[in-house]
Amino acid sequence: MTGAGAIGAVRGLVEGADSAQAALGALGALVGSGLTAPLLDALVEDAPSPETAARAAFSYRHALGFEKLMLLVGEPHYMLRAHIWPRTGPTAEPGTTEHIHNHRFGFASAVLLGDLGMRLYEPDPAGEVFAAHEERITTGEWLIRPRGPARLRLRADLRLARGTRYCLEAEARHRIVRNPDVRTVTLFLETATERAHTDVYTAVGTPVPPTAPKRPLDRADYVEALRSLRSLLG
């Protein structure tokens, strides 16, 4: 399959995903078809195109500790990207990679390598007290504003092994807990934006800066990241 053919085939699978459940089916078809590796090869081959610069502009090291690598930009309907968590070894503190949050969109994800923990939360008047924040995204940074206390209850604590696929609605409050002993890669397919902001919950007393910068990759670093991911997945 040619590079353009691989990109077109993947677009055909994901561009109709208009809900979290539809995104789950699209990711299943993508992974099951064996198109992930051809897509990465095609994106490297496509390096000189203007689309590569656009993908690089959406790719950066996320404030929560993982690499966010854009694969296909389908705004406003969908975005397909890879998330890569590094192996940090036993010195990392388990469970500190992410805060509790939801999203502005529904999404589906597939674990391609390694594994992750997933904790799901829901509001509960008798639950644990957290500090709630409202997070909005601008072109160059995240803006975070405090909203006061909120009570949440842990309702599920799951392990997402390699091969796991799942989806969450935009409102679903969750927290990813990385495994520091392995490198983990997921495919992430987000659907159209439904909400203007993200809700973020942190431990009471945890310092939260009002802004966090987004530093996108340049074209060369983006293409090198694609090559590294392709090698990592084999």
Side-chain angles (χ1 to χ4, degrees), residues 31-49:
V31 174
S33 66
L35 280 171
T36 305
L39 173 64
L40 295 174
D41 290 336
L43 293 177
V44 171
E45 183 182 313
D46 198 43
S49 76

Side-chain angles (χ1 to χ4, degrees), residues 11-159:
R11 283 195 185 279
L13 289 174
V14 303
E15 64 185 2
D18 57 359
S19 68
Q21 195 65 45
L24 182 63
L27 269 192
L30 169 54
V31 174
S33 66
L35 280 171
T36 305
L39 173 64
L40 295 174
D41 290 336
L43 293 177
V44 171
E45 183 182 313
D46 198 43
S49 76
E51 287 79 7
T52 298
R55 295 171 193 132
F58 281 104
S59 302
Y60 49 86
R61 180 172 178 79
H62 198 281
L64 294 179
F66 61 90
E67 302 292 336
K68 181 176 176 179
L69 195 61
M70 185 62 67
L71 304 181
L72 293 179
V73 179
E75 285 188 309
H77 305 294
Y78 72 89
M79 295 283 208
L80 178 67
R81 56 184 188 253
H83 292 173
I84 305 111
W85 283 264
R87 181 186 182 278
T88 55
T91 57
E93 296 181 46
T96 60
T97 302
E98 289 203 357
H99 47 229
I100 301 166
H101 62 281
N102 52 24
H103 286 278
R104 296 172 296 114
F105 45 77
F107 72 91
S109 185
V111 182
L112 302 182
L113 186 70
D115 66 89
L116 292 167
M118 166 70 78
R119 296 176 184 171
L120 300 174
Y121 294 81
E122 62 186 5
D124 186 334
E128 183 179 353
V129 179
F130 291 91
H133 310 268
E134 180 180 291
E135 177 190 270
R136 294 177 183 267
I137 298 177
T138 68
T139 302
E141 62 186 356
W142 291 276
L143 305 177
I144 304 171
R145 300 290 181 265
R147 282 207 336 240
R151 289 184 177 270
L152 301 176
R153 177 179 70 88
L154 177 67
R155 67 180 179 88
D157 190 352
L158 310 171
R159 175 57 56 183

